[in-house]
Amino acid sequence: MLNIAVLVSGGGTDLQSIIDACEQGKINGQIKLVISNRMKAYGLERAKNAGIETAVVKKDDDLIVSMLKERDIDLVVLAGYLAILTDTLIDAYPNQIINIHPSLIPSFCGNGMYGMHVHDAVLARGVKVSGATVHFVSSEVDGGPIIKQEACDISDLDNAEDIQARVLEIEHRILPEVVGLYCDGKIKIENGRAKVI
């Protein structure tokens, strides 16, 4: 059973999807720690309600790395974590950090593209299909190997909040699925590409 840490900044609905999957026995792992860079992130309350240790750490990846190492963390999940990781953390956990992004990478990603900014940009551009991507984290923002993507038709929607809600349904499905695959050792990287085996 792998030890998992989840980093959050907001409401923690993606975190809740992982908590639920762990409780249902769908993930061969346990969440040992939830870290937020925001004291009032509701994700911390979700973790506490599930009996999971929490911490608030602002802009100190050295401290985060030491906390993860102390708890023998095998996998780090960014679940709505609105901060760019430094090489300190990325190098300490190569191909052991995954992120959920609310678009179909490489569209609507990179610096400044997070949360509602993504959905606002999607709406402004008038795209007909959006979705979510789970990928490994690398030093390039949203540039690591893509593990899983799922698309949805948004041609009938005309506001960013509705787009977000539809994409969140996908996030809550594919993020715990990928965490489960990782914990089962079913993801490998070949030639810079992630493959499910």
Side-chain angles (χ1 to χ4, degrees), residues 82 84 101 108-119 121 141-142:
L82 305 181
I84 303 299
H101 184 78
F108 304 101
C109 67
N111 282 321
M113 279 290 151
Y114 59 88
M116 287 304 294
H117 296 294
V118 174
H119 305 301
V141 178
D142 296 328

Side-chain angles (χ1 to χ4, degrees), residues 125-186:
R125 189 66 180 90
V127 299
K128 309 308 178 198
V129 175
S130 191
T133 303
V134 183
H135 65 94
F136 282 110
V137 173
S138 69
S139 56
E140 178 187 350
V141 178
D142 296 328
I146 292 169
I147 304 167
K148 186 171 181 68
Q149 293 181 299
E150 188 174 314
C152 59
D153 185 339
I154 58 166
S155 61
D156 60 321
L157 304 178
D158 55 11
N159 68 70
E161 289 76 18
D162 288 343
I163 295 171
Q164 179 190 43
R166 191 166 290 176
V167 170
L168 270 173
E169 291 178 11
I170 293 173
E171 292 183 36
H172 297 162
R173 188 165 55 250
I174 69 173
L175 182 58
E177 179 186 340
V178 170
V179 171
L181 289 169
Y182 186 96
C183 290
D184 287 340
K186 292 185 176 178

Side-chain angles (χ1 to χ4, degrees), residues 49-63:
N49 291 339
I52 299 166
E53 181 186 4
T54 64
V56 177
V57 181
K58 297 182 180 180
K59 297 182 180 179
D60 190 343
D61 281 1
D62 288 302
L63 175 57

Side-chain angles (χ1 to χ4, degrees), residues 3-45:
N3 293 328
I4 303 165
V6 183
L7 277 57
V8 300
S9 292
T13 61
D14 283 322
L15 165 64
Q16 190 66 55
S17 72
I18 302 170
I19 291 172
D20 293 345
C22 286
E23 290 177 350
Q24 294 162 9
K26 295 177 180 177
I27 293 174
N28 187 25
Q30 56 184 341
I31 303 173
K32 298 280 283 188
L33 179 65
V34 171
I35 298 175
S36 180
N37 57 345
R38 297 180 177 178
M39 285 192 72
K40 295 185 178 179
Y42 188 69
L44 294 171
E45 294 303 313

Side-chain angles (χ1 to χ4, degrees), residues 62-107:
D62 288 302
L63 175 57
I64 290 175
V65 168
S66 67
M67 293 174 74
L68 298 177
K69 296 293 185 184
E70 285 171 7
R71 291 156 183 82
D72 296 319
I73 297 300
D74 303 295
L75 173 66
V76 180
V77 181
L78 309 185
Y81 187 62
L82 305 181
I84 303 299
L85 303 188
T86 65
D87 286 343
T88 298
L89 181 48
I90 294 169
D91 292 346
Y93 284 87
N95 298 323
Q96 292 173 274
I97 306 173
I98 63 174
N99 180 50
I100 181 83
H101 184 78
S103 77
L104 298 172
I105 293 176
S107 296

